[in-house]
Amino acid sequence: MAMRGWPLIKLLPVKTNLRFVSFAKYAAVLSAVLVIASVVSVFYPGLNMGIDFRGGASMELTKPNGQVLDLGAVRGAVGELGLGDVGVQGIDNVSSAIVRFQVPEGQDQTVVVQRVEQAINGAVGEVKYSGVSVVGSKVSGELFASGLMALGLAIALMFAYIWFRFEPQFGLGAVAGLLHDVILVFGLIVLFKLEFSLNMVAAILTVIGYSMNDTVVVFDRLRENLRKYKQMPLKEVIDLSINETLSRTIITGLTAVMVLAALAIFGGEALFGFSIALMAGIIIGTYSSIYVGAPIILLWGVKRGERKDDDAKPIKLGMASRP
């Protein structure tokens, strides 16, 4: 017997008739305010840099024979050493944890790690240490610069791809959407006080890829409709293209958000920030494909025939009948 489809999908209309372009001005104001606020927040109060970017050390400790590890005692013992922000994260079992702390500038890293181990041993007894890693301030600065370069290079390559596949105005709209998404994700990282680490850089790169994929779907349909409806006003062609791809966008986005929500809930502290940034990026990327990329094409215009849009007769968009 054939498997039945997910019944909730039937609640989505096959084709909508929403007038997105009519709200573009209001969306532009909203986006501008959020982008400015996000840029300001990156400098003040600033990003909560992780050990990867500010320098420090991390180690995993385990109590022998499955004994319970007192996380509060570990946090208190390391905190008394005056090593800046101290993070103690429990692992799935109750006998293991990961400790992160800063190494003060000018102090020997090996000596600081030994002091931390002695303090922990004095607070909770004998523990086994593993996975000790130390990142110096110079290395952390290089990692931060490399992360920013990776983000910039990704956006530049996306712009080149869209330019060659479509037209320059499409590329400009896509890059504007990507910059909009990246800046707002940075703002949310500051707002929720998430730790900015290499995992977060990976999340932002993933957001760039998802946002570009969603933008390409809309732009590809727009290009097809521009060839098909040469006498239709450009704003109506944009509305038509977005409506035709809306159900696909909603289903894809909701599926990804549900998976990431489960990852945020059950993945522990290590994956929480990563999941939150991705979920926010997917929602923002969907919004930017509609209200950032497409309106730029409307402002710039496209060549699609001898007849101008002002002389074209509007074509009413009807609702598609459900089979």
Side-chain angles (χ1 to χ4, degrees):
M1 184 174 66
M3 295 181 61
R4 295 182 178 179
W6 188 31
L8 294 180
I9 293 180
K10 297 181 180 179
L11 298 178
L12 296 175
V14 176
K15 184 179 178 182
T16 55
N17 190 25
L18 303 175
R19 301 293 179 176
F20 294 100
V21 174
S22 60
F23 298 97
K25 294 182 180 178
Y26 307 103
V29 174
L30 175 63
S31 295
V33 171
L34 293 178
V35 166
I36 294 173
S38 298
V39 171
V40 172
S41 68
V42 169
F43 296 97
Y44 182 82
L47 294 168
N48 178 27
M49 295 292 187
I51 290 176
D52 296 328
F53 296 135
R54 68 185 177 188
S58 65
M59 60 176 66
E60 181 178 338
L61 46 141
T62 305
K63 288 284 289 184
N65 303 321
Q67 301 178 35
V68 177
L69 180 64
D70 189 345
L71 301 182
V74 173
R75 186 178 293 105
V78 180
E80 292 177 356
L81 299 178
L83 301 178
D85 294 334
V86 176
V88 180
Q89 174 189 341
I91 306 180
D92 292 338
N93 58 75
V94 295
S95 60
S96 301
I98 296 178
V99 179
R100 297 183 178 89
F101 53 91
Q102 292 180 262
V103 177
E105 188 175 355
Q107 297 189 21
D108 185 83
Q109 298 172 348
T110 304
V111 174
V112 173
V113 171
Q114 290 177 351
R115 288 174 53 201
V116 171
E117 292 178 352
Q118 293 174 0
I120 294 175
N121 289 335
V124 299
E126 181 183 358
V127 294
K128 179 182 178 181
Y129 299 95
S130 61
V132 180
S133 62
V134 180
V135 179
S137 57
K138 181 178 179 180
V139 175
S140 63
E142 293 175 352
L143 287 174
F144 184 71
S146 299
L148 293 181
M149 288 179 60
L151 294 176
L153 181 60
I155 293 176
L157 291 176
M158 294 295 182
F159 173 70
Y161 168 74
I162 293 295
W163 188 320
F164 284 108
R165 179 169 177 176
F166 298 98
E167 296 180 27
Q169 58 266 42
F170 284 84
L172 180 61
V175 170
L178 290 180
L179 290 174
H180 170 273
D181 300 344
V182 171
I183 292 173
L184 290 193
V185 170
F186 269 104
L188 287 172
I189 291 174
V190 176
L191 178 64
F192 292 111
K193 298 180 180 180
L194 301 176
E195 185 179 85
F196 187 72
S197 61
L198 288 176
N199 284 343
M200 203 62 72
V201 174
I204 295 175
L205 288 172
T206 306
V207 168
I208 291 175
Y210 181 91
S211 177
M212 179 55 65
N213 176 72
D214 194 43
T215 301
V216 167
V217 171
V218 176
F219 282 3
D220 199 49
R221 182 59 61 88
L222 176 59
R223 181 176 59 177
E224 293 177 0
N225 287 334
L226 286 172
R227 296 170 180 172
K228 186 177 180 181
Y229 303 103
K230 292 185 177 181
Q231 296 184 355
M232 181 184 289
L234 181 56
K235 62 181 181 180
E236 293 195 12
V237 179
I238 293 176
D239 278 337
L240 174 63
S241 304
I242 296 175
N243 279 288
E244 289 180 345
T245 58
L246 187 61
S247 60
R248 177 260 181 203
T249 299
I250 293 176
I251 293 174
T252 304
L254 284 179
T255 302
V257 167
M258 287 190 293
V259 173
L260 291 170
L263 190 63
I265 296 172
F266 302 107
E269 184 178 348
L271 295 176
F272 179 78
F274 177 84
S275 306
I276 294 298
L278 273 181
M279 281 193 290
I282 288 174
I283 297 173
I284 295 171
T286 301
Y287 164 85
S288 68
S289 298
I290 299 173
Y291 282 118
V292 178
I296 288 180
I297 298 175
L298 180 62
L299 291 175
W300 192 334
V302 291
K303 296 179 180 180
R304 53 190 184 114
E306 298 180 354
R307 228 177 147 178
K308 297 181 180 180
D309 289 340
D310 295 338
D311 299 329
K313 295 181 179 180
I315 298 179
K316 186 176 182 180
L317 307 181
M319 294 290 291
S321 57
R322 185 180 299 276

